[in-house]
Amino acid sequence: MTRDASEIYDDLKALANELEDLAASGRITMSTDSWNQDHRDTKQAVAQALAALQQAINATCWMETLPSPVPTGKEPDQGTR
């Protein structure tokens, strides 16, 4: 199943809203184990994630999806007989 670019755009906006809601409710915390060396501060990590989502939202805002080509089972006419 292939989705339209506009559906992906809408999903990105919804994800950003969900992340903002989780952050506002205080339900996001960062792992403190040794694997997490890059993102220790929750507010900073959320801000970076939201900025990345915003870039994706901006990039997909004007995208359009072309219709799927319909296979005909025949080769296109090349003008030779």
Side-chain angles (χ1 to χ4, degrees), residues 27-59:
R27 295 184 52 209
I28 297 177
T29 187
M30 302 307 293
S31 171
T32 57
D33 65 16
S34 62
W35 290 97
N36 180 14
Q37 297 297 316
D38 299 324
H39 303 287
R40 297 274 187 177
D41 179 77
T42 302
K43 284 186 177 188
Q44 185 179 36
V46 169
Q48 288 174 344
L50 288 172
L53 283 168
Q54 189 59 55
Q55 276 191 308
I57 290 166
N58 293 346

Side-chain angles (χ1 to χ4, degrees), residues 2-5 63-69:
T2 303
R3 300 183 320 148
D4 290 337
M63 288 182 182
E64 295 183 15
T65 304
L66 297 174
S68 178

Side-chain angles (χ1 to χ4, degrees), residues 4-16:
D4 290 337
S6 63
E7 293 174 302
I8 294 169
Y9 169 77
D10 290 339
D11 287 348
L12 289 167
K13 290 193 314 182
L15 286 171

Side-chain angles (χ1 to χ4, degrees), residues 76-81:
D77 186 345
Q78 300 295 319
T80 59
R81 295 186 190 244

